[in-house]
Amino acid sequence: MTDPLSTSADVLVLGAGIAGLAAARTLTDKGLSVIVLEARTRIGGRMWTDSSLGLPLDLGASWIHGVSGNPITKLAKQFGVKTVPTDDENGMAFAADGSILPDDEFTRMEALFDDIYEEVAAMQEDTDEDMSLQEAFDVVIADRNLSEEDLRRLNYYAYLSTALEYGADAKDLSAWWWDQDEEFDGEEVIFPGGYNQITDGLANGLDIRLGTVVKIVRYGADGVEIETSAGSFVADKAVVTFPLGVLKQASVKFEPPLPESKQAAIDRLVMGVLNKVYLKFSEAFWDEDVETISYVGEELGEWCDWLSFVPFTGAPVLMAFHGGEKGFALEDLSDDDIRAGAMATLRVMFGDDIPEPEGMLVTRWGKDPFTFGAYSHIPPFASGDDYDALFAPVNDVLFFAGEAMSREYPGTVHGAYLSGVAAVEEM
Ligand SMILES: Cc1cc2nc3c(=O)[nH]c(=O)nc-3n(C[C@H](O)[C@H](O)[C@H](O)COP(=O)(O)OP(=O)(O)OC[C@H]3O[C@@H](n4cnc5c(N)ncnc54)[C@H](O)[C@@H]3O)c2cc1C
């Protein structure tokens, strides 16, 4: 541990999200002195467990996506943190009028979507020029003569696998590259006690300076000098883990400016959004065994995907996702309007007699000045190579890590973690 008053170290790590903590932990274990500079008054970045409703609820990441071989599974075991598997097949679905969609209808739609998706995947190989994923969908759907209702349900599936997974709508994703990322196999699990148990475990014993906003990163042959809201810090090297949104906004200045190849990749890749609304009730008025509740309403993407926390924590809590444009639009609404929108939809599904929520949490990741979005995605004409360009070190002095510096696993906790470890290996 460095002296708490020291302003110099072997390495400065900029940002105390999972990527920064992974880098700082790895460097410390190798015997180097490290100071972590973090703008917020908490660690974890886009991993943020809030307990203000009386139980831990994750406002950022919730899942380990695929536990087999996943480094976060290893950390959960190391820190003795409890996880529970989720099953997105264990759900019920409602049509726009509030009637329950029968299972076989859901299965039919899933099969149709898979079929169309396969044709779109084949187009990835066959087209000479990139286009948006929506354009590719449109080409495939044009031949199919689908009814208005089938089209609506199909768009619903597309929304689930684009806006709710990549934080961007099909029209904003590259048809060639949108799903170039790799996956780990195995169960999807969440943390009933909150994801910050992982970041707390990693942070244990590290020298982290909270409330320290980095303003200028100066670098040269002699090392780095970092100007912050709490004074200057110097080191031989730095690991930069600012989110893509922060790099795009240029709210931190680099002197000299970053190389053109890196700046071009920052300009090309895009930050999408995924927002969560948690509602806590006095009691559950929905089927307590069910995990997911789907609503295929008139307005695509509004209040369409819900997760019940009863099976995982016993608490009568529902969480709704909004992603892509609907996710950004949600951020402009007042909390009262958001509550009213949620309750109107729940009443269509569960009747007029359901109680008002006792508490609510709303995220607005797009407006957050220390991320400006939820995670990165690849728009038309950008590519997976841009992730490599973001990761590439500069002058053997600046090293980069974060979800947007992970070509294999962007937009995930494990991708950010692995990039932090990889940045240190690179060093
Ligand atoms: C709503 C939501 C749901 C998600 N769900 C999942 C999921 O279920 N599973 C999954 O694997 N992933 C999920 N993710 C993605 C995952 O949370 C991120 O990929 C990962 O946490 C990013 O880690 P990071 O270290 O790259 O960035 P961050 O966590 O953003 O860390 C960067 C740090 O830099 C700090 N910083 C920024 N600017 C400055 C500055 N000027 N000076 C000093 N410090 C600064 C920030 O405050 C932050 O702490 C989700 C994300 C969101 C938003």
PDB file of all heavy atoms in Angstrom, residues 156-167:
ATOM      1  N   TYR A 156     -40.392  -7.312 -31.741  1.00  0.00           N
ATOM      2  CA  TYR A 156     -40.191  -7.461 -30.304  1.00  0.00           C
ATOM      3  C   TYR A 156     -38.960  -8.344 -30.037  1.00  0.00           C
ATOM      4  O   TYR A 156     -38.089  -8.001 -29.236  1.00  0.00           O
ATOM      5  CB  TYR A 156     -41.459  -8.058 -29.676  1.00  0.00           C
ATOM      6  CG  TYR A 156     -41.281  -8.493 -28.256  1.00  0.00           C
ATOM      7  CD1 TYR A 156     -41.324  -7.564 -27.224  1.00  0.00           C
ATOM      8  CD2 TYR A 156     -41.038  -9.823 -27.943  1.00  0.00           C
ATOM      9  CE1 TYR A 156     -41.138  -7.957 -25.922  1.00  0.00           C
ATOM     10  CE2 TYR A 156     -40.855 -10.224 -26.640  1.00  0.00           C
ATOM     11  CZ  TYR A 156     -40.904  -9.295 -25.631  1.00  0.00           C
ATOM     12  OH  TYR A 156     -40.707  -9.683 -24.344  1.00  0.00           O
ATOM     13  N   TYR A 157     -38.870  -9.473 -30.748  1.00  0.00           N
ATOM     14  CA  TYR A 157     -37.703 -10.348 -30.574  1.00  0.00           C
ATOM     15  C   TYR A 157     -36.416  -9.643 -30.965  1.00  0.00           C
ATOM     16  O   TYR A 157     -35.387  -9.762 -30.307  1.00  0.00           O
ATOM     17  CB  TYR A 157     -37.857 -11.626 -31.412  1.00  0.00           C
ATOM     18  CG  TYR A 157     -38.555 -12.691 -30.636  1.00  0.00           C
ATOM     19  CD1 TYR A 157     -39.891 -12.963 -30.848  1.00  0.00           C
ATOM     20  CD2 TYR A 157     -37.880 -13.408 -29.657  1.00  0.00           C
ATOM     21  CE1 TYR A 157     -40.543 -13.918 -30.110  1.00  0.00           C
ATOM     22  CE2 TYR A 157     -38.522 -14.359 -28.909  1.00  0.00           C
ATOM     23  CZ  TYR A 157     -39.863 -14.607 -29.147  1.00  0.00           C
ATOM     24  OH  TYR A 157     -40.488 -15.546 -28.405  1.00  0.00           O
ATOM     25  N   ALA A 158     -36.495  -8.913 -32.095  1.00  0.00           N
ATOM     26  CA  ALA A 158     -35.296  -8.198 -32.560  1.00  0.00           C
ATOM     27  C   ALA A 158     -34.854  -7.192 -31.504  1.00  0.00           C
ATOM     28  O   ALA A 158     -33.669  -7.047 -31.217  1.00  0.00           O
ATOM     29  CB  ALA A 158     -35.584  -7.499 -33.883  1.00  0.00           C
ATOM     30  N   TYR A 159     -35.848  -6.527 -30.879  1.00  0.00           N
ATOM     31  CA  TYR A 159     -35.537  -5.532 -29.839  1.00  0.00           C
ATOM     32  C   TYR A 159     -34.829  -6.195 -28.657  1.00  0.00           C
ATOM     33  O   TYR A 159     -33.846  -5.673 -28.123  1.00  0.00           O
ATOM     34  CB  TYR A 159     -36.839  -4.857 -29.394  1.00  0.00           C
ATOM     35  CG  TYR A 159     -36.673  -3.881 -28.267  1.00  0.00           C
ATOM     36  CD1 TYR A 159     -36.292  -2.563 -28.501  1.00  0.00           C
ATOM     37  CD2 TYR A 159     -36.904  -4.269 -26.937  1.00  0.00           C
ATOM     38  CE1 TYR A 159     -36.130  -1.673 -27.466  1.00  0.00           C
ATOM     39  CE2 TYR A 159     -36.745  -3.381 -25.900  1.00  0.00           C
ATOM     40  CZ  TYR A 159     -36.360  -2.087 -26.155  1.00  0.00           C
ATOM     41  OH  TYR A 159     -36.193  -1.200 -25.127  1.00  0.00           O
ATOM     42  N   LEU A 160     -35.328  -7.375 -28.258  1.00  0.00           N
ATOM     43  CA  LEU A 160     -34.698  -8.083 -27.128  1.00  0.00           C
ATOM     44  C   LEU A 160     -33.236  -8.382 -27.419  1.00  0.00           C
ATOM     45  O   LEU A 160     -32.377  -8.230 -26.557  1.00  0.00           O
ATOM     46  CB  LEU A 160     -35.409  -9.411 -26.849  1.00  0.00           C
ATOM     47  CG  LEU A 160     -36.837  -9.404 -26.321  1.00  0.00           C
ATOM     48  CD1 LEU A 160     -37.248 -10.818 -25.942  1.00  0.00           C
ATOM     49  CD2 LEU A 160     -36.995  -8.491 -25.116  1.00  0.00           C
ATOM     50  N   SER A 161     -32.942  -8.812 -28.664  1.00  0.00           N
ATOM     51  CA  SER A 161     -31.569  -9.246 -28.919  1.00  0.00           C
ATOM     52  C   SER A 161     -30.678  -8.114 -29.429  1.00  0.00           C
ATOM     53  O   SER A 161     -29.493  -8.332 -29.653  1.00  0.00           O
ATOM     54  CB  SER A 161     -31.541 -10.439 -29.872  1.00  0.00           C
ATOM     55  OG  SER A 161     -32.359 -10.189 -30.966  1.00  0.00           O
ATOM     56  N   THR A 162     -31.242  -6.926 -29.619  1.00  0.00           N
ATOM     57  CA  THR A 162     -30.384  -5.791 -30.010  1.00  0.00           C
ATOM     58  C   THR A 162     -30.363  -4.740 -28.885  1.00  0.00           C
ATOM     59  O   THR A 162     -29.404  -4.652 -28.140  1.00  0.00           O
ATOM     60  CB  THR A 162     -30.878  -5.152 -31.333  1.00  0.00           C
ATOM     61  OG1 THR A 162     -32.264  -4.806 -31.213  1.00  0.00           O
ATOM     62  CG2 THR A 162     -30.694  -6.106 -32.494  1.00  0.00           C
ATOM     63  N   ALA A 163     -31.470  -4.004 -28.735  1.00  0.00           N
ATOM     64  CA  ALA A 163     -31.486  -2.897 -27.768  1.00  0.00           C
ATOM     65  C   ALA A 163     -31.233  -3.377 -26.336  1.00  0.00           C
ATOM     66  O   ALA A 163     -30.557  -2.701 -25.558  1.00  0.00           O
ATOM     67  CB  ALA A 163     -32.813  -2.157 -27.844  1.00  0.00           C
ATOM     68  N   LEU A 164     -31.776  -4.540 -25.982  1.00  0.00           N
ATOM     69  CA  LEU A 164     -31.607  -4.994 -24.591  1.00  0.00           C
ATOM     70  C   LEU A 164     -30.304  -5.770 -24.383  1.00  0.00           C
ATOM     71  O   LEU A 164     -29.912  -6.013 -23.255  1.00  0.00           O
ATOM     72  CB  LEU A 164     -32.803  -5.834 -24.146  1.00  0.00           C
ATOM     73  CG  LEU A 164     -34.132  -5.075 -24.059  1.00  0.00           C
ATOM     74  CD1 LEU A 164     -35.155  -5.871 -23.278  1.00  0.00           C
ATOM     75  CD2 LEU A 164     -33.984  -3.682 -23.456  1.00  0.00           C
ATOM     76  N   GLU A 165     -29.638  -6.157 -25.473  1.00  0.00           N
ATOM     77  CA  GLU A 165     -28.342  -6.825 -25.285  1.00  0.00           C
ATOM     78  C   GLU A 165     -27.184  -5.911 -25.631  1.00  0.00           C
ATOM     79  O   GLU A 165     -26.180  -5.874 -24.937  1.00  0.00           O
ATOM     80  CB  GLU A 165     -28.265  -8.079 -26.151  1.00  0.00           C
ATOM     81  CG  GLU A 165     -28.790  -9.296 -25.421  1.00  0.00           C
ATOM     82  CD  GLU A 165     -28.486 -10.577 -26.122  1.00  0.00           C
ATOM     83  OE1 GLU A 165     -27.333 -10.758 -26.581  1.00  0.00           O
ATOM     84  OE2 GLU A 165     -29.409 -11.396 -26.247  1.00  0.00           O
ATOM     85  N   TYR A 166     -27.319  -5.161 -26.717  1.00  0.00           N
ATOM     86  CA  TYR A 166     -26.210  -4.312 -27.186  1.00  0.00           C
ATOM     87  C   TYR A 166     -26.431  -2.841 -26.863  1.00  0.00           C
ATOM     88  O   TYR A 166     -25.584  -2.007 -27.156  1.00  0.00           O
ATOM     89  CB  TYR A 166     -25.994  -4.516 -28.692  1.00  0.00           C
ATOM     90  CG  TYR A 166     -25.456  -5.904 -29.000  1.00  0.00           C
ATOM     91  CD1 TYR A 166     -26.318  -6.982 -29.196  1.00  0.00           C
ATOM     92  CD2 TYR A 166     -24.090  -6.149 -29.037  1.00  0.00           C
ATOM     93  CE1 TYR A 166     -25.826  -8.255 -29.445  1.00  0.00           C
ATOM     94  CE2 TYR A 166     -23.585  -7.412 -29.280  1.00  0.00           C
ATOM     95  CZ  TYR A 166     -24.462  -8.463 -29.488  1.00  0.00           C
ATOM     96  OH  TYR A 166     -23.963  -9.720 -29.723  1.00  0.00           O
ATOM     97  N   GLY A 167     -27.599  -2.514 -26.318  1.00  0.00           N
ATOM     98  CA  GLY A 167     -27.873  -1.115 -25.978  1.00  0.00           C
ATOM     99  C   GLY A 167     -28.139  -0.252 -27.200  1.00  0.00           C
ATOM    100  O   GLY A 167     -28.103   0.978 -27.124  1.00  0.00           O
TER     101      GLY A 167
END
